[in-house]
Amino acid sequence: MSHAAAFRALHHGRAPDDPLVLPGPWDAASARVFAEAGFPALATPSAGVAASLGYADGSTPADEMFAAVARIVRAVDVPVSADVEGGYGLAPKELVERLLEAGAVGCNLEDSTRAGLKDPAEHAEWLAGVREAAGDRLFLNARIDTFVRGVEDPGAAVGRAAAYVAAGADCVYPIAAPAAVLPLLRAGIRGPVNVLARPGQGPSPAVLGGLGATRVTFGPGLQLHAEQAVRENAERLAARLPR
């Protein structure tokens, strides 16, 4: 079984309290840590990778993002999905080629820009082009940005999800959806649903699974926790320096 097929299979046949938990490596070293801990697959966070490369979230040049993903893929033996934001303006065929060249088995593709939410029909048409170019070689996770853009109505997310699934998305990701609306989203969405968890805060992955999550990711949360640990160690060391 290919890594892509194995990754797709991980999203199906799961118990409600056993969602697929995908930690987000930001570099090769963190990827090895997560793989050695026993996670069956990984999902890079674009914000975490950006921080590791010295960029603000959303400002990483495409070449650097793909190179970072390739380093992470080379470091581990488990499937790696890549958050490639809005696709960096690439045509579907080129985007797919770049992802496969980096060794990714899947990708996150978001439906907003700095200007706001994209038209769902136009975005669905673009996703359909990515699906056509990828065939079954990539698992497409369509991020839905309604909640982070202040649209609280779950129906807006469900409507976008239907369009994206019809276009060929394997999974939808209503990022930052409140836990209270997850049962409504689960009831209205066909196929796997990705839910964002916050390390050390809010419901556990098992609870999120019971509410409707098929898979759980953490965005840059784990990278931020690691950064905080480094900061605390640095401050302790600095306190011992001669003044």
Side-chain angles (χ1 to χ4, degrees):
M1 183 182 293
S2 70
H3 266 179
F7 185 69
R8 183 172 281 104
L10 288 171
H11 292 75
H12 297 280
R14 309 192 70 87
D17 61 349
D18 182 34
L20 175 61
V21 177
L22 298 176
W26 53 93
D27 60 12
S30 60
R32 288 194 186 102
V33 169
F34 294 136
E36 289 168 2
F39 289 97
L42 308 175
T44 69
S46 61
V49 173
S52 76
L53 297 174
Y55 292 102
D57 185 21
S59 299
T60 309
D63 287 350
E64 293 201 43
M65 183 62 77
F66 287 115
V69 170
R71 288 191 294 271
I72 289 169
V73 169
R74 287 197 300 268
V76 296
D77 293 325
V78 298
V80 176
S81 182
D83 182 345
V84 288
E85 304 177 303
Y88 307 112
L90 300 174
K93 185 174 185 296
E94 183 178 0
L95 176 62
V96 167
E97 289 172 351
R98 297 293 299 271
L99 284 161
L100 294 174
E101 184 180 275
V105 301
C107 62
N108 278 15
L109 293 168
E110 59 198 51
D111 67 351
S112 71
T113 67
R114 291 176 180 172
L117 287 163
K118 297 179 181 178
D119 177 83
E122 292 178 2
H123 188 61
E125 183 177 358
W126 182 75
L127 286 174
V130 176
R131 174 84 283 160
E132 182 179 8
D136 62 359
R137 297 176 295 171
L138 289 174
F139 185 96
L140 302 186
N141 188 33
R143 200 179 94 175
I144 298 170
D145 286 2
T146 52
F147 293 103
V148 295
R149 295 291 179 170
V151 181
E152 298 179 0
D153 177 13
V158 170
R160 285 174 178 262
Y164 302 162
V165 170
D170 296 288
C171 182
V172 294
Y173 179 17
I175 187 170
V181 307
L182 293 180
L184 292 174
L185 296 178
R186 176 66 283 170
I189 294 174
R190 286 194 302 115
V193 176
N194 188 155
V195 172
L196 176 70
R198 304 186 186 281
Q201 303 176 41
S204 68
V207 170
L208 292 173
L211 292 172
T214 308
R215 84 181 206 181
V216 174
T217 54
F218 303 91
L222 296 169
Q223 181 268 327
L224 291 170
H225 268 237
E227 183 179 312
Q228 180 60 26
V230 172
R231 180 177 292 109
E232 291 170 0
N233 278 306
E235 289 171 353
R236 283 194 292 270
L237 289 170
R240 300 174 185 175
L241 294 175
R243 300 298 180 184

